[in-house]
Amino acid sequence: MSDLNDKSELEKKPREFQPIENPEEARGLLREGTKTLSSIILWTKDPKRVINTHMSVFEPKDKTFHCWIPKDMKPELFMDELAQTGSADCYFSVSLTTANIFFKAKYMGFDAGGLRFQEPTRIFKVQRRSDARFPIPDGLVIRVELQDPLFPELKMSKKVLDISASGMAIVVADNEAPLFHEGLILKDVNFSVRNRKIKVDAEVRHTKQLPSDSRNPGIKIGILFKNIREADSQWLAGYVFEESRKYLSKFL
C-alpha cells in the first residue's frame, strides 16, 4: 500500500518539476553552480531553518560539494540541529542562469572549504521564470473575486490554479472564455493569502484550453498584476517560497 501511495504522490508532482535522468547533465549543472557561485536557499526538516548561501566547490571524484558558510552561522552546531530533526538530509534550491534546480543532499560536516555535502543522487529542474510560481496542489483552495467584465456591478468568484508575486492563473468556464480576451484589464481583483487581503487590478496576458479530463477543466486565464503594492508583492513572494519548498520537499 505504501508503494502505491508513493506512486500516487509522485504522479501529482508539478509537470514543470522534472527529474534529470542523465547523470552527466546533472553533474554539469552542479559544475555550473560552483563556477557561477549560484545562490542557494537551503532548508532542513525543521521548517523554520532556512540558510542563504552559495555553492563554492564541487568534487566529483569524492562525490561531494561545498557551500559557503554564512557569517551568522555556527557550523559546529549545525550537525546538532540536524540530529534534533532526526535526519542529516538538507534540501536545496539553486538558482542557475536558465533554471532552478532542486535536490536533497546529506550533510557531512564542515572544513576549510565550507559546509560539506554528499553529491545528490537525483536532481530536479524547473525552468526559470521572472517570479517563482506555486501551482496550487490538491487539498488547497484559493479563490479570487473580481468584477464581471460585462456587468461591473456584479462580482465573479474563480479558482486560482497558480500564483506568483506578479500574477496568477485562474480557471473559467468554456462559455466565459470570450469575456477574458488578451489585454483586458480586470478591476478590483481581490484575494487573501495567509489572512492578508490583497486588492489589485490585473491584465489578461494569455488563455489556454485545459483538458476535459483534468482536475480543473475549463479555460486557464493568466493575469498580470498591474498596481500591486510592494509590501503585498513581497508577502506573496514569501508565501510562494514557503509553500513551494514544503510541497516540493515531498518529491526530493
Side-chain angles (χ1 to χ4, degrees), residues 109-153:
F110 71 98
D111 53 32
L115 303 173
R116 189 165 177 257
F117 297 89
Q118 192 173 73
E119 180 182 352
T121 57
R122 201 171 198 196
I123 294 177
F124 293 81
K125 178 171 67 173
V126 178
Q127 294 303 119
R128 287 292 299 274
R129 298 169 61 91
S130 57
D131 284 308
R133 178 182 59 177
F134 175 54
I136 309 301
D138 289 338
L140 178 61
V141 176
I142 297 177
R143 299 194 69 86
V144 62
E145 187 179 80
L146 60 149
Q147 286 185 356
D148 186 306
L150 282 183
F151 305 101
E153 69 278 9

Side-chain angles (χ1 to χ4, degrees), residues 90-201:
C90 294
Y91 302 87
F92 293 77
S93 171
V94 185
S95 299
L96 303 179
T97 304
T98 59
N100 278 6
I101 58 174
F102 298 85
F103 56 84
K104 179 173 64 176
K106 192 174 294 295
Y107 180 60
M108 301 178 68
F110 71 98
D111 53 32
L115 303 173
R116 189 165 177 257
F117 297 89
Q118 192 173 73
E119 180 182 352
T121 57
R122 201 171 198 196
I123 294 177
F124 293 81
K125 178 171 67 173
V126 178
Q127 294 303 119
R128 287 292 299 274
R129 298 169 61 91
S130 57
D131 284 308
R133 178 182 59 177
F134 175 54
I136 309 301
D138 289 338
L140 178 61
V141 176
I142 297 177
R143 299 194 69 86
V144 62
E145 187 179 80
L146 60 149
Q147 286 185 356
D148 186 306
L150 282 183
F151 305 101
E153 69 278 9
L154 301 179
K155 297 290 187 180
M156 307 175 94
S157 178
K158 298 300 177 184
K159 186 176 182 180
V160 177
L161 298 179
D162 62 56
I163 191 168
S164 75
S166 59
M168 64 171 55
I170 62 176
V171 62
V172 305
D174 289 1
N175 62 355
E176 294 175 320
L179 301 178
F180 293 88
H181 57 83
E182 292 184 19
L184 174 69
I185 301 299
L186 301 170
K187 296 290 187 179
D188 296 334
V189 178
N190 291 272
F191 59 97
S192 294
V193 169
R194 282 186 179 164
N195 298 319
R196 185 184 184 96
K197 294 182 178 180
I198 297 175
K199 180 179 179 180
V200 296
D201 292 339

Side-chain angles (χ1 to χ4, degrees), residues 41-97:
I41 297 174
L42 181 162
W43 66 96
T44 71
K45 285 192 172 182
D46 179 353
K48 297 180 181 178
R49 188 50 157 144
V50 178
I51 300 170
N52 292 288
T53 180
H54 62 256
M55 194 174 293
S56 55
V57 180
F58 174 44
E59 301 170 335
K61 290 184 179 180
D62 296 335
K63 295 186 176 182
T64 62
F65 68 93
H66 284 76
C67 293
W68 171 73
I69 302 174
K71 293 181 179 179
D72 60 349
M73 180 182 184
K74 296 181 179 179
E76 62 274 11
L77 301 180
F78 190 47
M79 186 65 83
D80 292 338
E81 292 180 22
L82 290 173
Q84 293 177 11
T85 70
S87 173
D89 288 337
C90 294
Y91 302 87
F92 293 77
S93 171
V94 185
S95 299
L96 303 179
T97 304

